[in-house]
Amino acid sequence: MTSLYAVVTGCAAVAGAFSGFAFLGLAMDRHWADVHGRGTEPSPAQRRRLRWFGCGQLLLSLLACLALRGSSQGWVLWLGALTAAGWMAVLMLTYAVRRVPRSGIAAGSLALLGAGVAVLVR
Amino acid sequence: MKEGFRQSMAWLHTWSGLLVGWVLMLIFMAGTSSYYRDEITLWMKPELHQTAISPVTQAMAADQAARALQKRAPDSERWFVSLPSGREPALQTMWAPPAGEEKAKGKGRRRFEEALLDPASGAELADARSTRGGDFFYRLHFDLHYMPVPVARWIVGICAMSMLVAILSGIVTHKRIFKDFFTFRPRKGQRSWLDFHNVSAVLALPFHLMITYTGLVTLMFMYMPWGVKVAYNNNDKAFFAELFPGSPKGPKAAGVAAPLTPLGPVIAHASQAWGGAPAGRIVVDFPNDAAATIAVTRQEGHGVSSDLPTLIYDGVTGRPLPSPDAGRGAAVETRGVMYGLHIGRFADPLLRALFFISGLAGCAMVATGLLLWAVKEKPKHLKAGRIGFGLRLVEGLNIGAVAGLPVAMAAYFWANRLLPVGLAERPAAEAGWFFTAWAVAMVAGLAWPSRPMWRLQLLAGGMLFALLPVLNGATGGAHLLVSIPNGLWALAGFDGVTLLIGGLLLYASMRLGRAPVAKTRLAGNAA
């Protein structure tokens, strides 16, 4: 396993977990309203899209963890990554909520990029 | 159950958490720091910091060990060698004194002689101060202190069982796990404490469940001995001998001298067999005899199970012999994995850090849970016009446990550096500082359970922790300006983390000094 592979897969694992939580958070009324103003809520289509993106990113993170550490340690790593990413999401949704949509997209792109590079260099 | 299922679960959650909360605080703090037990031990032996700067290959270290042991104990029956690693830079050697000498010394348990060596030169590092280092916290988190081990383990087991009950009933009580998954509303009094309690519990829930359950599993033979007792006719020793086979029983020395094969190629072969994972421990039986064997055990940190694979080699030819690991049952493997998960021994730096963060979340969960009880109870007492004994007691214990324990832990580190190096019973004296500091914090908390007391103890803990990197440099350790350029991440990490913890404690102390927010319904722990 080359170190480049390990680094990009690790990026995909952590960034994917964070962006997944960011999207899932934005799909909730409370956090959506924090970003877009009181009383607003996402349209059903928007909500569905956010949830799909969120779940997709969490899945990507899981796959990256399994690729990185195998099927036993991979699950442990994924749960750990979810915990750390969850804390990041809570802190951002509380103290920097307006930056959440962009950070989510940036982290999601990073995760996809990392996964792409990982597939190429493997 | 008149009040309904959820209410009774809330009641169960409150009391199963509160009654053992202060012991859990100790267990969680000491247990969390045990993830960095080797790093703590290294930090507490500043004499070894210089050795850590020039790492050598494992083969070279093994050959240095063999050379030193040939000089000191060529007639010994058994040598033990622990090879240096990133977390423990010294080369540890132990040997059993020759059988004749031992008998001459009289009865009693077999005593091993030991020596710490510099892996590069083979010179003895005898002057490292004696300390229990990180092992103190590791033992503390399930053996406690000042009491017989079985009693302590029963107490810890009851607390862990209570914790498991609290976690499960907490899940039932928490109606909005998913709705409030990311919700934290700061500066809203009781609401904020509850949010934080929920977030710290839910985000690391897999860890909390795992650590509590596997913690019970690690000591299961003690809590539930009946199965073993029935199946093995009350003979525990037979059970353990069958479960964890050591070296084959009863091999005898051939009595024919034969030179020992060099250790370097042997560990290289073992390492290759484990896909490149390095060797950790070497045991040589009957060195310099024709019947010599060499057992090589893998270094920790390269698989989930705590039972590490071992390979056996012929000590004269260096050829591999049949391995004792073959044919483990599924139940043994399962227990090995559970144990391994609990102690995180398999974990590389990334996973270890994630475990550590989850452990800190566990501390935060227990602490906020304890605080919540006091915060909820307070208005009733204020209405009645006087603070009752129960609330006063809980508030005092909360101060002593939540703010006092960091003071005690920091005092332990300060004692390590400030006590004279040659002091007799030094490890006990260091532990003494820990318990003295904690006792003072507890008594002070119980005597004056008030907001200024919270601030004072948080301030003391914060200062003591934040100044540890300075103390390290001032008393002969490798400080940050030395450790970072030389890549001594174990030491740099210790200093960095203590700095961070100190900063957080100081921030908490400062925040408590601000006037309570006007909108706050309940003024937290105001006096």
Side-chain angles (χ1 to χ4, degrees):
Chain A
M1 198 191 288
T2 62
S3 61
L4 175 66
Y5 176 76
V7 169
V8 289
T9 320
C11 267
V14 176
F18 172 73
S19 117
F21 276 150
F23 285 137
L24 287 178
L26 287 176
M28 295 158 105
D29 287 341
R30 185 203 314 275
H31 304 299
W32 178 275
D34 282 346
V35 177
H36 298 276
R38 192 171 270 214
T40 55
E41 61 176 66
S43 72
Q46 277 172 322
R47 198 191 297 269
R48 214 174 312 128
R49 218 171 322 144
L50 282 169
R51 288 202 174 137
W52 273 112
F53 281 163
C55 293
Q57 288 287 345
L58 292 184
L59 192 67
L60 179 69
S61 165
L62 171 63
L63 292 177
C65 290
L66 292 178
L68 200 58
R69 289 291 143 77
S71 60
S72 58
Q73 285 194 34
W75 285 95
V76 183
L77 180 63
W78 188 54
L79 291 176
L82 287 186
T83 301
W87 275 104
M88 278 192 274
V90 168
L91 288 176
M92 282 203 77
L93 286 167
T94 306
Y95 294 105
V97 71
R98 285 180 187 282
R99 298 208 191 112
V100 170
R102 268 195 206 162
S103 314
I105 291 170
S109 317
L110 182 66
L112 285 173
L113 186 72
V117 175
V119 170
L120 287 180
V121 300
R122 186 166 60 164
Chain B
M1 258 194 276
K2 257 191 294 180
E3 311 136 309
F5 184 60
R6 196 157 254 156
Q7 272 86 346
S8 53
M9 279 294 138
W11 180 90
L12 186 61
H13 180 73
T14 302
W15 293 104
S16 61
L18 182 73
L19 292 180
V20 298
W22 302 287
V23 186
L24 284 179
M25 207 63 224
L26 174 72
I27 297 174
F28 257 88
M29 282 199 196
T32 302
S33 56
S34 300
Y35 284 122
Y36 289 108
R37 165 182 169 192
D38 292 350
E39 284 79 356
I40 292 174
T41 308
L42 175 59
W43 189 90
M44 293 177 75
K45 291 183 175 171
E47 294 84 359
L48 299 184
H49 292 187
Q50 220 51 41
T51 324
I53 292 178
S54 52
V56 293
T57 66
Q58 287 215 305
M60 278 166 66
D63 286 334
Q64 287 291 3
R67 210 164 301 145
L69 285 164
Q70 286 291 15
K71 225 179 278 166
R72 284 154 180 271
D75 313 324
S76 164
E77 277 186 2
R78 188 175 274 185
W79 297 345
F80 299 89
V81 177
S82 292
L83 294 171
S85 68
R87 307 179 66 198
E88 167 55 89
L91 178 62
Q92 297 174 42
T93 57
M94 284 205 301
W95 62 93
E101 250 174 62
E102 190 194 341
K103 265 179 207 140
K105 273 186 195 162
K107 57 192 184 307
R109 268 180 65 186
R110 167 175 288 223
R111 296 296 296 246
F112 292 107
E113 314 258 341
E114 56 183 321
L116 273 187
L117 306 178
D118 183 333
S121 65
E124 183 165 0
L125 297 165
D127 50 353
R129 66 190 60 194
S130 109
T131 174
R132 287 179 67 202
D135 289 352
F136 171 67
F137 293 125
Y138 173 69
R139 284 278 157 193
L140 185 65
H141 101 280
F142 60 91
D143 280 353
L144 305 179
H145 210 78
Y146 297 126
M147 65 177 77
V149 165
V151 178
R153 290 191 181 177
W154 274 108
I155 294 176
V156 170
I158 290 165
C159 291
M161 200 65 221
S162 231
M163 170 98 184
L164 198 57
V165 170
I167 291 178
L168 295 176
S169 56
I171 296 172
V172 177
T173 314
H174 189 14
K175 283 170 282 198
R176 301 160 58 91
I177 288 196
F178 292 106
K179 273 199 173 149
D180 282 352
F181 201 86
F182 303 112
T183 305
F184 176 53
R185 287 156 285 189
R187 272 171 264 170
K188 294 224 164 69
Q190 183 179 339
R191 168 60 44 206
S192 310
W193 287 114
L194 183 59
D195 278 347
F196 196 85
H197 184 61
N198 288 340
V199 164
S200 58
V202 170
L203 289 182
L205 187 60
F207 174 83
H208 299 323
L209 274 174
M210 178 279 283
I211 209 71
T212 314
Y213 180 69
T214 55
L216 285 165
V217 168
T218 55
L219 299 177
M220 67 181 181
F221 296 125
M222 184 176 152
Y223 300 135
M224 295 202 281
W226 311 291
V228 174
K229 287 224 147 71
V230 169
Y232 287 82
N233 262 335
N234 279 331
N235 188 352
D236 289 356
K237 280 195 186 123
F239 169 68
F240 282 108
E242 194 171 311
L243 191 58
F244 304 114
S247 57
K249 275 277 167 297
K252 293 236 163 68
V256 182
L260 187 70
T261 181
L263 295 181
V266 171
I267 63 168
H269 180 276
S271 177
Q272 209 174 12
W274 295 319
R281 261 163 50 93
I282 308 173
V283 179
V284 182
D285 278 336
F286 311 119
N288 304 319
D289 184 275
T293 56
I294 302 170
V296 186
T297 306
R298 197 179 65 189
Q299 193 182 73
E300 293 170 349
H302 304 276
V304 175
S305 180
S306 68
D307 300 332
L308 297 167
T310 298
L311 293 173
I312 311 277
Y313 294 88
D314 187 302
V316 179
T317 63
R319 262 190 242 126
L321 298 173
S323 156
D325 287 338
R328 288 272 181 83
V332 177
E333 279 294 326
T334 306
R335 182 184 173 280
V337 168
M338 295 240 173
Y339 196 7
L341 267 177
H342 186 87
I343 55 182
R345 211 176 250 176
F346 62 88
D348 50 53
L350 173 66
L351 265 178
R352 190 177 294 279
L354 291 174
F355 269 58
F356 183 71
I357 291 171
S358 301
L360 289 180
C363 298
M365 173 181 72
V366 177
T368 47
L370 287 171
L371 290 174
L372 255 176
W373 192 89
V375 171
K376 269 188 181 168
E377 202 71 1
K378 194 128 197 174
K380 298 181 205 164
H381 292 252
L382 288 178
K383 225 183 223 168
R386 56 180 289 274
I387 302 289
F389 172 75
L391 178 61
R392 211 186 141 83
L393 178 72
V394 168
E395 287 201 317
L397 288 171
N398 281 355
I399 295 178
V402 178
L405 266 173
V407 176
M409 290 175 97
Y412 177 68
F413 295 132
W414 281 80
N416 170 257
R417 293 306 178 84
L418 295 185
L419 290 172
V421 174
L423 189 72
E425 305 278 328
R426 200 165 187 285
E430 287 176 1
W433 276 45
F434 176 91
F435 289 106
T436 310
W438 196 23
V440 170
M442 250 326 166
V443 170
L446 286 167
W448 299 281
S450 62
R451 184 184 276 247
M453 180 51 73
W454 272 106
R455 292 197 63 200
L456 179 69
Q457 295 205 6
L458 288 170
L459 181 74
M463 293 300 281
L464 288 173
F465 260 107
L467 288 175
L468 276 175
V470 179
L471 176 74
N472 182 24
T475 51
H479 53 80
L480 282 169
L481 297 180
V482 175
S483 56
I484 293 179
N486 284 300
L488 300 178
W489 300 120
L491 296 170
F494 184 100
D495 281 351
V497 169
T498 53
L499 208 53
L500 201 67
I501 293 174
L504 282 174
L505 293 173
L506 288 176
Y507 175 72
S509 169
M510 211 183 68
R511 270 299 294 272
L512 273 178
R514 285 194 212 154
V517 189
K519 261 168 44 187
T520 312
R521 210 152 40 85
L522 312 160
N525 278 280

